[in-house]
Amino acid sequence: MKLNLGCGRDVREGYVNIDVCNPWESDVVIHDLNKVPYPFEDNTFDEVYASHIIEHLNDFHQTIMEIHRICKPNAKVIVKAPFFPSTKFFGDPSHKIPFSYRTFDNYAVVEGKVPFYEKWKLNQRTNFGAEGNFRMLKRKFIFSNFTVIKWIGWFINIAPMYYERFFCFMLPAEELYYELE
């Protein structure tokens, strides 16, 4: 089974669609996503699609742990979110959580190991004990559809940490794409 978390108007065929309300008279499970547990059993879903929803919720950690609970082992989790310096993030006052390239570093093993910086954070007890719950399959910046900017985006995704650290405010990406398992 597949879950479309916070579907809004993007009601997907073949998915269980869930959102806080449903004014469009579609087949949607109504549930406040700020309240856990979600109305699903443990190990229910093979895939969770969360496009532009997590940044609206009150508690990032609670949401990620709830997604982990309802996912089967090796389930795919796809998250899309606005990049923090973009107008897509700060232009919407309902956004509560900023996203960066490393947002999931507390929750995912990257290339079979906990990243160096996260080892330091583990010692500082800032990761909520969540190390290694997911495996990072892919993450990238997504830029606008203008051809020149798309090529620049391809180059930036080769060295994303340098871009985020030194250049993101000069040419902000619009969103981030994460694929976790």
Side-chain angles (χ1 to χ4, degrees):
M1 283 182 34
K2 298 178 180 181
L3 177 66
N4 184 7
L5 189 70
C7 63
R9 293 179 189 246
D10 184 23
V11 176
R12 295 177 164 238
E13 197 167 316
Y15 284 75
V16 174
N17 296 281
I18 185 172
D19 210 332
V20 69
C21 65
N22 182 15
W24 307 286
E25 297 185 25
S26 301
D27 188 21
V28 174
V29 175
I30 306 300
H31 182 78
D32 181 352
L33 297 173
N34 283 310
K35 295 185 176 156
V36 297
Y38 294 168
F40 308 111
E41 298 293 322
D42 294 1
N43 303 314
T44 300
F45 296 101
D46 299 304
E47 180 181 313
V48 173
Y49 179 74
S51 180
H52 294 273
I53 182 62
I54 297 177
E55 68 273 12
H56 294 275
L57 301 178
N58 293 333
D59 189 329
F60 178 81
H61 177 71
Q62 173 180 281
T63 301
I64 297 308
M65 292 299 96
E66 187 63 6
I67 290 171
H68 188 270
R69 180 189 71 78
I70 63 176
C71 280
K72 290 180 179 177
N74 301 317
K76 183 188 288 187
V77 178
I78 296 170
V79 176
K80 292 181 180 178
F83 185 41
F84 73 90
S86 77
T87 57
K88 281 190 173 185
F89 175 72
F90 64 79
D92 185 341
S94 69
H95 287 166
K96 298 175 182 175
I97 303 165
F99 277 74
S100 79
Y101 189 79
R102 294 178 26 194
T103 294
F104 284 95
D105 282 0
N106 283 344
Y107 299 89
V109 173
V110 180
E111 297 173 2
K113 60 186 182 230
V114 177
F116 170 79
Y117 180 70
E118 300 315 315
K119 287 181 185 176
W120 175 83
K121 286 175 85 174
L122 286 171
N123 292 333
Q124 304 303 314
R125 301 179 188 274
T126 59
N127 80 328
F128 306 106
E131 170 234 334
N133 284 323
F134 293 96
R135 187 166 63 95
M136 181 70 66
L137 300 177
K138 181 191 252 184
R139 59 183 160 178
K140 65 181 180 177
F141 293 104
I142 298 176
F143 290 81
S144 75
N145 289 326
F146 296 113
T147 303
V148 173
I149 294 175
K150 282 174 90 171
W151 279 104
I152 293 169
W154 176 84
F155 179 73
I156 285 170
N157 278 302
I158 292 172
M161 299 301 285
Y162 291 107
Y163 163 72
E164 186 171 80
R165 176 92 179 177
F166 300 111
F167 304 111
C168 70
F169 289 102
M170 290 191 278
L171 179 65
E174 289 184 5
E175 63 184 350
L176 286 151
Y177 172 91
Y178 308 92
E179 194 172 310
L180 308 162
E181 178 179 74

